[in-house]
Structure formats: C-alpha cells, structure tokens
Amino acid sequence: MPSTLIHFDSTTCPYAQRSWVALLEKGLPFEIRKVDLSNKDAEFVETYRSINPDPEAPAKVPILIDGDTKLVESMVIVDYLEQKYPEPALLPADAAAAARVRLFIETVGAQLTGPMFGVLRADNRQAVQEATTKLVAGLKVLDAFIRLHGSTQGGDFFLGSYSMAEACTTGFLQRGLAVLPHYRGIDLWGLVRENKLDRLESWMKAALARPSAQQTKPADNVIIQGFGKFVTPLKDE
Amino acid sequence: MAAQLWAAPVCPWAQRATIAVVETGAPFEYKTVDLHNKSAEFVSLYRKIVCDADANAKVPVLLDGELAITESPVVAEYVLRKYGADKGTIPADPAVLARARLFAELFVSNVTTAQGAILKSDSQAKLAEATQQMAAALKVVDAFLLSQGSSEGGSFFLGGTYSIAEVLTTSLLHRAITYTKAYRGVDLWQLVQDHGLTRIEAWMRAALERPSAQQTMPDEAVLLEHGRKFPVPMKD
C-alpha cells in the first residue's frame, strides 16, 4: 500500500495550486499540511531546508512528500506526479504536443501574469493606463497563441481536452479576475469581449469551470487580501 | 523541410538546445543567428511563433514538422524526449528526474543570479558582497550535489550518468566562470577551492569536459565581445 502523499500548501498560493490541482486531477490520496506563510511553523521550515540547502532561501510552498521523495518547486512537482502517476495523463504522449503545452504555460506567465502584476505595481494613473494597454496586448497574444498552437478537438481547453496547460495556469487567471476589478477597476472579461478574443474567452470559461479549479480557488476576499502587498497605492488618487 | 534549430553560439540559453541536439544526435539543420544583426527572416519567424508582432526575437527557436517552439527548457526537453528516449538523459525514475530538474533550478537561481550581481556591481564594496553571494551560491549547489546527487561512477549530478541536469546548466556554468573572471576578476575555480567545495569542483570539470559542451562552446573572443554589454561600469 503506497504511503499517502503529503502536500505542504497555504491553500492560497497560485504556484502551490498547480500541484494541488494535479493531485486532484489524478485522483491521488493525499494530505494537505496547511501552512500559514505569515507565521511559518517549524516543521514546514525544516522540511523545506532539508530539500533546498540554501540557508537564506525563505521556505516556500508547495512541498511534496512521497515516501522518501521530497520535492519543492511547483513545476518540478507537477512533472514528477505526471511521470510517477501517469493516469489520467496531464500531458500527451506525443513530445510535440507536450512541448506546446509547456510553451503555453510560459506564455500565460509572460502575457497574463506578468502584465497583471505590472498593472498592480503602477503608481499613477498614466502608468496604470500604460500597464493596462500591455495587459490587453498580452490577452491578444494569448488568444492568437491558442488559435495557432492549440486545438478545439474535444473541447475548449488548450489542447481541446484538459491538460497541464490548465492545471498550471488557471490559478493565475482566478487571481487576475479577483484583484484587477478590486484594485484597479479593470474588468478582464470586458477587455476580452471588447477585443473579440473568442478563443481566449472559451478557454477561460472551460478552465474556470473545471471542478479541480473550483475546488482549489480561494474565496475572492482571501485573494484580494493576499494581493494587497503587491499593489502600489496611486500617487494621484 | 529538415528540422531546424535557430541558435547563437554566444547565448547560453540557446546552447542548452544545441547541447541537447549533439547529445541525441538528432537531425537538425543549424541556423545561426547573429544577435547583434538579426535577419528579417529570423525576427519574422520568432514573432509568428509567439504571436506577438512586437516581440524581441530570441534564441533558441525550433522547427520540426508542424511544431514551432521557443524557450530554452521547452526546446531542450522536446529534443531529449523526441530523439533521445533511449539515451537515459531523461532519467526513467520519476524521483531521479525530479531531483535532476531541481538541480537545474537551484543552479540558475543561485549561481546565475550571483553572476548577475557580480556584473551589476558598480563599486568595490558591492563587488565584495556579490562575490560572497557567489561563494554562498556555489555552496548551495555543492550541498545539493552531496545530499541529492550521486558520486557513483562519475562526477555528473547522477554520478556516472550524464543527464538533463547537465544539459540545462553546463552553458550557464561556462558563462558564470568566463564573465566573472573577464570583467570582474572573480575566479570561480579559486572560490570553490578556497571553500573546499570538492564535489561541485568535480562536477564543474565533468560538465565542461563533456564532448557536447566542448563542441557547442562559442569562440572566446567573440563571446567576450558579446558579453561586454553585461557588466556595469565600476565607479571606483
């Protein structure tokens, strides 16, 4: 009988959400060791230090324990789960399709997550305007990327059917949908529709509707509160 | 059309991909990119793949049949999986593969970051701090080699088995050694000796001696000309 997997997680971090989703999608039995990142417990810190030998590195989530195997870094953990527990698959067997999924994950980081933080960091109205223009440009790139490299066979996910493409990105989309309206009055759905980004819109709907996405989403007020530290107050407000 | 790999010898990120190609013997046509004088063909190809008409065109770019991708870890992994399945460069044991990936992550976040700090330091005081940062970085990697790696049969991360751990780090190691010495007089070989880091020292030698590393290294003069833009002028 394999030992239960242990997942150290704050249940609020979008990076840790990647491996949480992977565990759920694979139907694996696991235990959540809940971590308060503002008040880290000794077991969590010691476990992190036993894996990452850098004494200066702040202990981070996620951490996965699988018997003797102990891992940090969300993508390393997701890749490990995919290799160790291949069913149901989160990556296609075809190396080319798997590469497209990996590139999609990078692209969401560069075109959605990055610009989203840019909007929050801007410290005056003009800068917010410019950062929002960049965000819109990023959404257009994403829409075009899904059309070019993705598929609609079998559904509206990146590959048509569900994969790591969604497991590793939906959490960031959920964060954006909560924080952009609250802190900057930006309606992401509105931007997507105004710019007629139909493929992106259908992807967003499918990704957000996935049960594992819903199960792992923190409440909006929790997301909003957690993101406060990333938001620069506007000088000209 | 034959599979193509667009790369620039000076770029360590692209070199990850060229190392993967050499290791697997994969049949790619090399398309050399001059990063200081990018061809219209390359720029337009890159922008088409990333779906962004304003993107700064970067290497590596890989074309293989219908597949068109960029981003060094994605390209390297694709080459290793598609053409090197029998070679063990991607370990079959999921836990071993995960540790090899983690090694690469830790190398970049520690050593490559410290390299940046050294080149961006603009005073003797800051340089001294950044050099300490590099020593600490090398210690972290040495400790990870000892705790999570192997020394059985050789000095790679996995001992006698060359793997993705080296594919993703060897070129970055080379630049860390070369640039810090050339532009700031910091000697990583000296640092590892001074701090008794024998395991990482052995790893460094093994990685750099690997034929795929030797075959893909840029010409030193060309590299140092290219790298001149990285260090910030020193004030004192």
Side-chain angles (χ1 to χ4, degrees):
Chain A
M1 170 79 179
S3 55
T4 307
L5 295 151
I6 300 173
H7 191 240
F8 286 77
D9 187 1
S10 63
T11 70
T12 57
C13 170
Y15 293 95
Q17 193 176 356
R18 291 168 158 172
S19 37
W20 187 8
V21 166
L23 288 162
L24 291 171
E25 287 287 339
K26 289 189 178 285
L28 293 164
F30 67 100
E31 180 194 324
I32 296 182
R33 206 60 70 77
K34 191 160 173 184
V35 174
D36 178 353
L37 292 172
S38 62
N39 187 17
K40 298 172 188 176
D41 64 90
E43 187 201 8
F44 167 62
V45 176
E46 275 159 33
T47 307
Y48 187 85
R49 296 254 174 280
S50 73
I51 305 162
N52 181 347
D54 183 358
E56 301 297 310
K60 293 191 287 191
V61 291
I63 304 177
L64 181 80
I65 315 260
D66 185 4
D68 292 331
T69 297
K70 296 193 284 185
L71 299 169
V72 295
E73 294 302 315
S74 63
M75 287 309 299
V76 172
I77 293 171
V78 171
D79 278 323
Y80 166 78
L81 291 171
E82 180 62 12
Q83 300 303 313
K84 182 84 190 258
Y85 307 102
E87 298 297 331
L90 292 178
L91 266 189
D94 172 44
R100 290 189 188 98
V101 168
R102 293 188 194 285
L103 191 54
F104 175 78
I105 295 168
E106 298 286 322
T107 304
V108 171
Q111 303 295 345
L112 172 67
T113 311
M116 174 177 109
F117 277 99
V119 169
L120 299 175
R121 266 198 315 266
D123 68 355
N124 64 75
R125 287 180 191 284
Q126 175 70 9
V128 170
Q129 191 88 297
E130 284 163 18
T132 306
T133 303
K134 262 205 186 129
L135 176 62
V136 172
L139 296 172
K140 289 180 181 169
V141 168
L142 259 181
D143 179 84
F145 188 94
I146 301 172
R147 284 177 206 275
L148 178 64
H149 295 285
S151 167
T152 46
Q153 266 191 34
D156 289 333
F157 298 113
F158 173 67
L159 288 180
S161 51
Y162 184 87
S163 76
M164 214 187 262
E166 287 73 39
C168 296
T169 59
T170 309
F172 298 94
L173 176 62
Q174 289 170 333
R175 300 308 182 280
L177 287 166
V179 304
L180 288 169
H182 180 86
Y183 287 113
R184 294 288 187 250
I186 291 170
D187 172 17
L188 209 57
W189 289 112
L191 291 178
V192 169
R193 287 177 192 134
E194 273 159 40
N195 289 282
K196 300 192 176 16
L197 307 178
D198 311 329
R199 184 61 185 97
L200 177 60
E201 190 179 0
S202 62
W203 175 78
M204 285 166 65
K205 286 186 178 145
L208 293 163
R210 188 75 174 182
S212 62
Q214 303 204 334
Q215 199 179 331
T216 57
K217 180 187 167 300
D220 277 354
N221 67 307
V222 171
I223 294 177
I224 286 165
Q225 219 229 338
F227 261 67
K229 58 183 186 263
F230 300 122
V231 182
T232 310
L234 298 184
K235 288 184 199 156
D236 47 1
E237 191 88 288
Chain B
M1 190 184 66
Q4 290 181 351
L5 177 63
W6 297 70
V10 293
C11 174
W13 309 100
Q15 195 177 351
R16 288 169 149 180
T18 53
I19 284 176
V21 167
V22 172
E23 283 291 331
T24 56
F28 279 89
E29 181 194 343
Y30 286 105
K31 306 285 283 187
T32 308
V33 177
D34 178 354
L35 294 174
H36 302 274
N37 188 19
K38 296 172 195 173
S39 68
E41 184 193 3
F42 172 65
V43 173
S44 131
L45 172 65
Y46 182 88
R47 289 174 173 174
K48 183 163 168 285
I49 292 171
V50 302
C51 303
D52 183 354
D54 297 319
N56 175 32
K58 297 189 286 188
V59 288
V61 166
L62 181 146
L63 305 177
D64 193 358
E66 304 251 313
L67 181 68
I69 49 172
T70 180
E71 297 301 318
S72 65
V74 179
V75 173
E77 175 122 11
Y78 169 75
V79 171
L80 294 178
R81 284 211 181 274
K82 178 82 189 221
Y83 297 102
D86 53 334
K87 296 203 155 51
T89 322
I90 296 193
D93 181 329
V96 175
L97 172 55
R99 293 203 294 273
R101 287 189 196 284
L102 210 42
F103 174 82
E105 292 288 335
L106 284 174
F107 185 90
V108 175
S109 62
N110 284 274
V111 175
T112 307
T113 300
Q115 170 194 327
I118 287 174
L119 298 181
K120 295 293 173 237
S121 52
D122 61 0
S123 70
Q124 291 298 332
K126 286 197 185 140
L127 177 57
E129 256 180 58
T131 306
Q132 286 292 85
Q133 184 182 337
M134 178 60 85
L138 295 165
K139 279 185 196 162
V140 168
V141 176
D142 181 78
F144 193 81
L145 277 158
L146 288 167
S147 65
Q148 301 279 349
S150 164
S151 295
E152 264 185 52
S155 301
F156 299 122
F157 174 70
L158 297 176
T161 304
Y162 179 91
S163 75
I164 191 172
E166 284 77 35
V167 173
L168 294 177
T169 56
T170 304
S171 53
L172 296 166
L173 167 69
H174 176 262
R175 302 310 187 270
I177 292 169
T178 306
Y179 287 154
T180 56
K181 183 81 199 281
Y183 304 122
R184 289 286 186 266
V186 175
D187 186 337
L188 263 59
W189 293 108
Q190 194 62 54
L191 275 182
V192 298
Q193 277 167 31
D194 289 348
H195 292 272
L197 307 177
T198 54
R199 182 62 183 97
I200 192 179
E201 189 181 357
W203 174 79
M204 287 161 68
R205 285 194 205 290
L208 292 168
E209 277 166 15
R210 184 77 173 178
S212 61
Q214 305 260 320
Q215 279 173 45
T216 57
M217 279 308 165
D219 171 85
E220 175 127 343
V222 172
L223 180 66
L224 291 180
E225 180 58 32
H226 165 80
R228 278 193 323 149
K229 62 184 184 192
F230 297 130
V232 164
M234 288 279 256
K235 291 188 205 149
D236 60 0

